[in-house]
Amino acid sequence: MPVSLDTYDRIPVLLRELRPTGVTVLADPAVADHAVTRKVLAETARAGFTPTRAVTPADAGMPAVEAAASRLSPGELVVGVGGGSTLDFAKLTAAVGRRPELLRYLTSGQRSGLVALPLPWGEHAEVLAVPTTLGTGSESGPVACFPHRDGKRIAMGECLRPRAALRVPEATETLPGHLVMDGVLEAIFRTVIPYSSDTLDLPEQDAAVEDLAGRLLTVGDELARCLAAGLPAPAPGRLRAARLSAESQHGAINIGRNPYAVKCWALANELSTTLGLAKMRAVSALWPVVWRQALRGDTRFGSADRVHRLWERLRQRAPWLAPRPDDGLEQLMLRWRIDRTVHLAPHLRHPIALRSVRAWGAGLPTLAGLSADDIVALLAEATEPTASTAGSPEPLPAA
């Protein structure tokens, strides 16, 4: 797992341990002049390195990755400062710089949206990740998303897991409240969707998922209370959310789980890419509908028993949640002021369904068993306004 740093003065210690040949600090343009980036640069210099400064390109596809990787010296450390897109770009750049043949895997002519990387290619990317958003967990995870042609691919392999991660409260202090809550919901989604989408009971792993999801729910509601009262999201809560989000990327909670039981994620990827939406907007629209299908007995979308069991555990921490999981999930999003409205013209449903089947189904395991017509029906239910049986929640009390 990545080394976890919680103060800037740990950076020189890390650099002395890693002994990189050089350091490139790659920052999202939005935070290139932020105090966090300045402090990272200062601590890097204090360790005796003259860092190369770079910003994440607008087009972070493979040509940009290849160009950035070509500028790295062998053994150079990349410090990524930014959100998930910047951290993914940093991870891919460092990995390609170390192994140029990786490009062949990432750009191959396969139709699959998932690129699995060889296990012998190492356990880490030479990256220090400094996340400035919540929820993606990219600073701890072995995956990276990147644009490819007219869509997106996701690469997966231990060679993409960062060497270390720095989490400090200043990094997310200017994050708007709605993005704070989106981030916590994303972490919950990543934690529970493999659990609820699989039909296999794994007592130890299931208990770990239920516990982690419950802790995320608790900290998320605390943050939501502060924001509802007109207060900023407090630093301790943001840090707790960041650490819990990272836990969902460690892998132990899903050992033995079907790695392809994530239909909702794949569909959200295609919906958000087509419409140019944030991924969590698409996830928030689709997730309750996917659970509703599972609760109706359609095991292609998951296990009704497991969804109910998970929801019972979460209601022990939040008794105000509606008893039905799909209704309660919509209620939670309303309470946290998550925007889940997606406007999709009916004529776009079938093209998105075909994109989804091509990238993730039709012989590929993620959307196994789903036809384009199945996906069209799902999109129609998720993107057309429907009355919520959960009703309006009670107003959040002040923090």
Side-chain angles (χ1 to χ4, degrees):
M1 292 300 106
V3 175
S4 182
L5 313 180
D6 55 8
T7 58
Y8 295 102
D9 58 11
R10 293 282 307 279
I11 294 176
V13 177
L14 176 73
L15 293 178
R16 284 193 291 269
E17 292 175 353
L18 297 181
R19 298 180 181 178
T21 56
V23 177
T24 289
V25 176
L26 172 77
D28 185 291
V31 297
D33 296 317
H34 191 279
V36 173
T37 307
R38 294 198 302 270
K39 290 179 181 179
V40 167
L41 289 165
E43 290 299 322
T44 302
R46 191 165 71 85
F49 292 86
T50 302
T52 300
R53 298 191 64 170
V55 295
T56 312
D59 181 357
M62 280 303 105
V65 168
E66 184 176 13
S70 70
R71 293 190 285 269
L72 299 178
S73 61
E76 187 160 352
L77 180 75
V78 179
V79 182
V81 185
S85 297
T86 289
L87 299 187
D88 286 354
F89 186 82
K91 290 154 62 170
L92 290 165
T93 296
V96 170
R98 186 177 181 184
R99 288 185 175 272
E101 63 268 33
L102 175 58
L103 281 169
R104 176 169 58 87
Y105 282 80
L106 298 173
T107 60
S108 66
Q110 69 181 41
R111 66 181 176 88
S112 174
L114 174 65
V115 183
L117 303 179
L119 288 175
W121 280 12
E123 297 180 354
H124 293 287
E126 296 304 316
V127 170
L128 166 58
V130 186
T132 60
T133 60
L134 294 174
T136 71
S138 182
E139 73 274 14
S140 296
V143 298
C145 291
F146 61 96
H148 182 69
R149 295 179 182 170
D150 62 342
K152 288 183 180 179
R153 284 183 172 179
I154 180 169
M156 178 181 298
E158 286 301 317
C159 62
L160 294 175
R161 197 185 294 274
R163 175 72 67 176
L166 170 67
R167 300 182 189 88
V168 287
E170 310 90 279
T172 55
E173 66 184 357
T174 60
L175 196 63
H178 71 279
L179 293 182
V180 170
M181 299 315 303
D182 274 1
V184 180
L185 188 69
E186 181 175 3
I188 295 175
F189 172 77
R190 186 173 54 253
T191 299
V192 306
I193 206 66
Y195 169 113
S196 66
S197 300
D198 203 358
T199 56
L200 180 65
D201 289 340
L202 298 169
E204 184 176 344
Q205 292 89 326
D206 290 351
V209 167
E210 293 159 5
D211 176 67
L212 178 55
R215 287 183 286 150
L216 280 163
L217 175 62
T218 298
V219 71
D221 211 52
E222 291 171 359
L223 291 168
R225 290 169 184 267
C226 290
L227 293 170
L231 303 172
R238 285 184 279 112
L239 280 176
R240 282 173 55 205
R243 294 189 183 107
L244 292 173
S245 175
E247 281 190 38
S248 70
Q249 290 278 19
H250 288 177
I253 63 174
N254 287 315
I255 291 175
R257 188 87 61 214
N258 177 3
Y260 302 108
V262 288
K263 288 180 172 61
C264 188
W265 184 93
L267 294 171
N269 181 71
E270 300 307 319
L271 179 61
S272 64
T273 300
T274 300
L275 298 183
L277 293 175
K279 181 71 67 60
M280 280 310 296
R281 176 77 70 86
V283 165
S284 300
L286 287 164
W287 185 5
V289 178
V290 167
W291 267 12
R292 196 165 290 134
Q293 293 296 325
L295 293 169
R296 291 168 180 163
D298 192 337
T299 56
R300 296 175 301 174
F301 292 97
S303 162
D305 289 342
R306 291 174 61 76
V307 172
H308 277 298
R309 188 171 71 211
L310 171 68
W311 201 249
E312 288 172 5
R313 301 291 190 274
L314 294 181
R315 291 190 72 235
Q316 290 173 4
R317 292 179 178 257
W320 49 265
L321 286 169
R324 273 186 58 91
D326 50 337
D327 294 341
L329 183 57
E330 290 178 340
Q331 177 192 26
L332 175 66
M333 293 179 189
L334 182 62
R335 179 180 175 97
W336 286 5
R337 302 180 183 180
I338 301 292
D339 188 351
R340 56 181 300 267
T341 303
V342 174
H343 299 285
L344 180 66
H347 72 273
L348 290 177
R349 294 173 192 156
H350 197 255
I352 293 174
L354 290 177
R355 281 175 58 106
S356 301
V357 169
R358 176 172 175 79
W360 306 98
L364 298 173
T366 302
L367 295 184
L370 290 186
S371 68
D373 287 343
D374 293 327
I375 297 171
V376 166
L378 197 75
L379 291 172
E381 186 172 352
T383 59
E384 291 183 356
T386 56
S388 171
T389 58
S392 298
E394 292 297 318
L396 283 166

